[in-house]
Amino acid sequence: MTELFTLKGIEQKLQKAGRKQARLYLFSNFIALMIISAYAALMMSQTVQKAFPEGGDSRKQMYMIFVLTLAGCVVFTVYAAGLFFRYKSRQIGVLMALGASRKRLLPGLMREVLLLSSLSAVAGALAGIPFVWLLWGLFRLILVDSSQMVLALDARCLLVSAAFFLLVVGVACLSAWRYLQKTNIMEVIREEHLNEPVKEPGRWCGYIGAALVLGGAVLGYSAPRLWEIWFHRYSPFWIGVFYLPVFPGLYMVMLHTVVYGWKSRKKHLYENTITRGMVKLQAKQTVNNLLIITLLIAGASFAIFYIPAGSISSLLEYKSAPYDYFYHYRLDQDVFGKEDVSKLAQQYGLSVKDWKEGEYINLAAGGILEAEDENHRLYTEYAVLKNEVRVLSEDTYHALTGQNEDVAPGTYLCLTNEKETNLFVIHTAKDLTNIVTGAHIETSFAGYAHYGLLTGIMGWIVLDNADYAVMEQGLTDEWKGRIVQFNAHGEDSYAFAGRLYDLFVDSFDKSCEHVEYYDRVEKLNAMQKGEEYWMESTGLETMIRYDRRDTLEFKTSWMYHPKFRILLINEHLLIMGVLYMMFLFIFIVCLTTALIIGFTRCQTIALNNRYLFEDLRKLGASSAFLSKEVRSQCSQVFRMPAWVGMGTMYLLFIGILYANDGKITSYEGIAMLVCLGILVLTGGVVYAVYQRTVKMVREQLEI
């Protein structure tokens, strides 16, 4: 019996036949919305916002990688919509051939598109929040947990999800309208099989592209400083455009990869001819996807490098410190002495040994001041009162360190760490001034002395004993300080260190509730000019409060934060946990997105060419040969983005470490090796997904 169908029934049958493509479209939108919603939720949470310093490099890195992820997801959703409608075009063409008008098809198509895009987008956006909670909860359970780790989400993150949702729905509706405007019915029917080849570039393409990537990275990094040198102005906000050559460079590298590959074919001219032909016929889509995958893998690598770079050097430095306990304070503060510390240590089964202490003074140091004139041109001038500096005498320095430094009268030594990587040193001062009496001496830089515990944002210097005695006269206790350092005799106690830390903080009054880079000399200069001190105008002072003594900001940025080895080592992960977990989350999100795009692209290349695979099978091609072709195609999608993304970021990471202080220290070398190991593990994950992708493509092609 012949079954009769109405036009609506035929439309429903065609929709049912296209379920596989609809599922792929749903999955793509769901993943993109979930990733963006999760990233936005965590990035905008109060937990992360408090941990990442305002204007700091870590916050900039977080935003930069979010932009990369956002760009990747936008391209992914646009590509998914285009792919869905390429399959959908056949259904539209059949219905048009049967006499359906565009006006008749538009409502049904729009309903289907709105339903699919809205359903997947809303589900993804809603899944983003539980995804964050689940992943963050696992981090806290497995890695580190503290009161700072409690996740406090901000409802404003939903605005990002809403904007991305509108983008997804808008792209879907625009694509539906575009496909209905086609006039050639046969072209609409054959849209599914149309290819997007590119004009073959010269073989120079890839090498020029690699040069652009390298040149753009170097130029973008150097541009702000070069601008200031050449034009004597602060670099403008748009200076980042000098990084732009990186993107066409990456595109050219990927285009060369798709069209030619990187292996010489002189000896094997016809090797992988079929695979290259399949990929080249869809080169536009392939290159775009490879570019996005590369950027996402690069972002993932950049994020994960932050963890070993930030932790290994610090932990090794803590372990190598010459004393278990080090602290300093102003003389006008009522801080405990040796007897009190010894009594407290006895309560924890410890005793104090190697106790050393000495006084220092705070003076105003001269230096080079950079300023703007009325035309916003930069100029430099020497200021007699520029910065506050902490000063030790020769004898005190010897008593604390055991080092004999003979400082010539009228000179000073800058204190830095043993590897000379501390950037906060005073070496341009030609004057030192007693801020209370106005006493003044001329001086000059005479070199470095090395003691890692005496480093910090406020510089430390060593003076000749006679010069020190002159400058000390008339100073009040608020401009004097005492340094204390000792070791614990017996197995050090975390509980003792924690109790000593609390007692130390409780010893200070409100006048010492300052961030480490609070400078009283700078404030005095601002007041004399009738200006507001920048630290107070920006509100950064509010970060440091005694009732927040357990927070990241206080323990790392308080002007008098102590260095207790057992606390620093055991609490490092607790203190830095939010930052590390955020970058670990970014790594997972970016890598997952890249792998999903790669997986989807491999399926598309193979399935779009399933007719060719069927023809090859009919011509007698073996399963082993067809499997080799599938592997070759999938390898193009996974291998080159992984090599370029991870390799570029690793080289950039090495460059950043070197640019920080002009050298690679042994600690940084260890961090580089750890990062290399992480890349090997990441490569293993990429390879595993590649193998799984090959297996699924073979199953779908019945190979």
Side-chain angles (χ1 to χ4, degrees):
M1 181 177 178
T2 304
E3 187 176 2
L4 297 177
F5 291 102
T6 63
L7 192 60
K8 185 176 182 179
I10 295 174
E11 190 173 2
Q12 292 173 346
K13 281 283 187 180
L14 291 173
Q15 290 175 359
K16 186 177 181 180
R19 283 180 179 176
K20 183 180 293 186
Q21 287 72 41
R23 283 198 298 268
L24 181 61
Y25 177 64
L26 286 168
F27 174 75
S28 301
N29 284 344
F30 174 82
I31 290 295
L33 261 296
M34 184 181 74
I35 287 172
I36 291 301
S37 299
Y39 197 146
L42 191 56
M43 180 179 67
M44 299 176 68
S45 69
Q46 292 301 309
T47 307
V48 171
Q49 289 293 315
K50 289 178 181 178
F52 282 67
E54 187 70 38
D57 289 340
S58 55
R59 184 182 286 253
K60 292 176 182 177
Q61 292 168 14
M62 177 179 67
Y63 289 149
M64 181 187 72
I65 299 173
F66 176 69
V67 172
L68 286 179
T69 307
L70 183 63
C73 288
V74 167
V75 173
F76 184 42
T77 53
V78 172
Y79 165 71
L83 183 63
F84 172 69
F85 280 103
R86 289 193 71 189
Y87 286 110
K88 192 71 179 173
S89 65
R90 185 176 183 180
Q91 300 176 16
I92 297 172
V94 169
L95 293 171
M96 291 173 66
L98 292 174
S101 65
R102 292 179 177 80
K103 186 177 180 181
R104 163 67 181 79
L105 293 175
L106 182 61
L109 181 62
M110 284 297 180
R111 278 196 303 270
E112 181 184 6
V113 167
L114 284 172
L115 177 64
L116 291 176
S117 57
S118 300
L119 181 64
S120 58
V122 170
L126 294 177
I129 305 300
F131 178 66
V132 169
W133 280 107
L134 176 62
L135 201 57
W136 194 261
L138 288 174
F139 288 163
R140 294 180 63 185
L141 181 65
I142 298 172
L143 299 177
V144 60
D145 195 8
S146 71
S147 58
Q148 296 182 68
M149 301 297 117
V150 177
L151 188 59
L153 297 180
D154 191 323
R156 288 177 297 177
C157 69
L158 297 177
L159 296 176
V160 178
S161 301
F164 202 79
F165 166 79
L166 293 175
L167 174 66
V168 169
V169 175
V171 167
C173 293
L174 183 62
S175 298
W177 178 83
R178 171 177 168 265
Y179 274 89
L180 275 178
Q181 300 310 303
K182 292 182 179 291
T183 56
N184 190 323
I185 294 178
M186 293 306 298
E187 181 183 339
V188 172
I189 294 174
R190 294 182 62 252
E191 174 75 19
E192 177 186 357
H193 307 298
L194 294 178
N195 293 308
E196 294 181 316
V198 294
K199 182 180 179 181
E200 290 193 12
R203 290 187 175 275
W204 47 263
C205 173
Y207 304 100
I208 296 296
L212 284 174
V213 171
L214 179 61
V218 173
L219 184 61
Y221 185 83
S222 308
R225 184 55 186 160
L226 292 175
W227 182 279
E228 293 179 7
I229 293 173
W230 292 343
F231 300 103
H232 304 289
R233 297 177 185 272
Y234 289 119
S235 58
F237 70 93
W238 50 262
I239 199 72
V241 299
F242 287 100
Y243 279 108
L244 290 181
V246 170
F247 297 100
L250 278 176
Y251 183 87
M252 293 169 72
V253 169
M254 295 304 146
L255 184 60
H256 188 283
T257 301
V258 170
V259 176
Y260 299 114
W262 294 91
K263 289 174 61 178
S264 175
R265 299 202 301 271
K266 291 182 179 179
K267 294 183 179 180
H268 306 282
L269 187 60
Y270 300 103
E271 184 180 5
N272 294 329
T273 301
I274 296 174
T275 296
R276 291 199 306 272
M278 291 182 189
V279 175
K280 284 165 63 175
L281 286 174
Q282 299 176 34
K284 288 184 180 180
Q285 293 179 0
T286 304
V287 171
N288 290 337
N289 279 264
L290 293 186
L291 183 60
I292 294 301
I293 295 171
T294 301
L295 292 175
L296 288 171
I297 291 179
S301 302
F302 195 66
I304 200 65
F305 288 166
Y306 185 91
I307 299 176
S311 60
I312 291 176
S313 295
S314 298
L315 291 174
L316 291 175
E317 186 176 340
Y318 299 154
K319 288 182 178 293
S320 65
Y323 288 90
D324 295 331
Y325 293 85
F326 171 92
Y327 56 89
H328 67 94
Y329 57 90
R330 274 181 11 196
L331 286 186
D332 62 341
Q333 303 301 299
D334 187 20
V335 178
F336 44 74
K338 180 179 180 181
E339 184 178 346
D340 297 319
V341 175
S342 298
K343 289 180 180 179
L344 180 64
Q346 289 175 5
Q347 299 177 19
Y348 295 89
L350 298 172
S351 61
V352 172
K353 67 175 184 178
D354 305 324
W355 181 281
K356 293 181 180 180
E357 61 179 281
E359 291 192 1
Y360 67 90
I361 58 177
N362 290 64
L363 300 175
I368 303 298
L369 183 67
E370 189 176 77
E372 288 183 290
D373 61 19
E374 60 276 5
N375 296 318
H376 302 291
R377 288 181 59 84
L378 294 176
Y379 67 93
T380 58
E381 63 180 9
Y382 183 81
V384 175
L385 303 179
K386 182 178 183 290
N387 294 110
E388 186 175 356
V389 62
R390 297 184 178 118
V391 183
L392 299 171
S393 67
E394 291 173 299
D395 288 346
T396 300
Y397 181 74
H398 172 70
L400 291 172
T401 68
Q403 301 175 27
N404 289 309
E405 295 286 355
D406 184 15
V407 185
T411 67
Y412 62 91
L413 296 177
C414 284
L415 279 171
T416 184
N417 54 15
E418 287 72 12
K419 300 181 185 300
E420 294 189 359
T421 56
N422 178 50
L423 303 179
F424 304 102
V425 294
I426 307 294
H427 60 268
T428 60
K430 298 179 181 179
D431 304 86
L432 292 173
T433 304
N434 182 316
I435 208 70
V436 176
T437 65
H440 171 89
I441 62 170
E442 294 183 355
T443 189
S444 62
F445 173 66
Y448 293 105
H450 304 88
Y451 195 61
L453 290 175
L454 291 173
T455 58
I457 291 178
M458 185 179 293
W460 294 79
I461 65 173
V462 182
L463 279 185
D464 169 70
N465 288 331
D467 287 345
Y468 182 90
V470 169
M471 299 308 297
E472 184 186 21
Q473 293 180 11
L475 279 177
T476 58
D477 282 350
E478 66 177 317
W479 292 92
K480 294 181 179 181
R482 177 174 285 112
I483 299 167
V484 175
Q485 56 190 23
F486 65 90
N487 286 316
H489 183 62
E491 186 177 353
D492 202 0
S493 169
Y494 180 80
F496 163 68
R499 180 58 181 158
L500 187 65
Y501 172 79
D502 286 333
L503 291 174
F504 181 71
V505 176
D506 290 338
S507 301
F508 288 81
D509 59 29
K510 285 288 186 179
S511 66
C512 294
E513 203 173 33
H514 295 304
V515 73
E516 190 172 10
Y517 35 87
Y518 186 92
D519 193 309
R520 291 177 290 179
V521 173
E522 281 190 3
K523 180 180 179 180
L524 183 62
N525 286 334
M527 292 173 60
Q528 290 176 347
K529 295 177 182 179
E531 300 173 354
E532 187 177 11
Y533 180 40
W534 70 272
M535 280 289 300
E536 295 172 350
S537 63
T538 56
L540 290 176
E541 278 288 80
T542 60
M543 293 193 312
I544 302 301
R545 298 203 310 266
Y546 296 140
D547 59 356
R548 297 180 60 188
R549 65 186 62 182
D550 293 325
T551 63
L552 167 67
E553 297 93 337
F554 193 92
K555 288 193 173 184
T556 59
S557 301
W558 182 38
M559 179 174 286
Y560 300 96
H561 68 271
K563 299 176 182 178
F564 298 170
R565 190 203 312 272
I566 193 169
L567 287 186
L568 292 172
I569 292 175
N570 286 276
E571 293 186 350
H572 179 78
L573 196 56
L574 290 173
I575 295 172
M576 304 296 290
V578 175
L579 275 72
Y580 291 166
M581 286 163 61
M582 179 65 194
F583 280 109
L584 180 59
F585 175 84
I586 292 172
F587 169 74
I588 293 173
V589 165
C590 287
L591 184 61
T592 301
T593 308
L595 294 177
I596 290 173
I597 294 175
F599 168 78
T600 307
R601 185 59 196 159
C602 285
Q603 285 196 321
T604 304
I605 294 175
L607 296 179
N608 279 358
N609 293 282
R610 62 185 179 274
Y611 306 106
L612 179 57
F613 279 97
E614 291 174 1
D615 291 341
L616 289 172
R617 187 184 289 110
K618 292 175 183 177
L619 291 171
S622 65
S623 296
F625 176 82
L626 296 177
S627 296
K628 179 184 176 183
E629 295 301 318
V630 170
R631 285 184 175 277
S632 181
Q633 289 190 40
C634 295
S635 175
Q636 294 266 25
V637 174
F638 284 97
R639 182 180 57 194
M640 184 53 64
W643 275 108
V644 174
M646 293 191 293
T648 301
M649 281 301 108
Y650 191 67
L651 292 176
L652 179 62
F653 171 64
I654 295 174
I656 291 174
L657 291 181
Y658 181 80
N660 283 339
D661 47 39
K663 64 179 70 176
I664 299 292
T665 67
S666 58
Y667 295 164
E668 291 170 340
I670 294 172
M672 286 165 52
L673 290 176
V674 172
C675 290
L676 185 60
I678 291 173
L679 290 186
V680 172
L681 294 176
T682 304
V685 172
V686 174
Y687 182 75
V689 174
Y690 155 74
Q691 290 282 55
R692 179 61 179 168
T693 302
V694 169
K695 182 179 179 181
M696 293 187 67
V697 171
R698 288 178 57 194
E699 289 175 353
Q700 293 183 20
L701 293 174
E702 299 179 356
I703 298 175

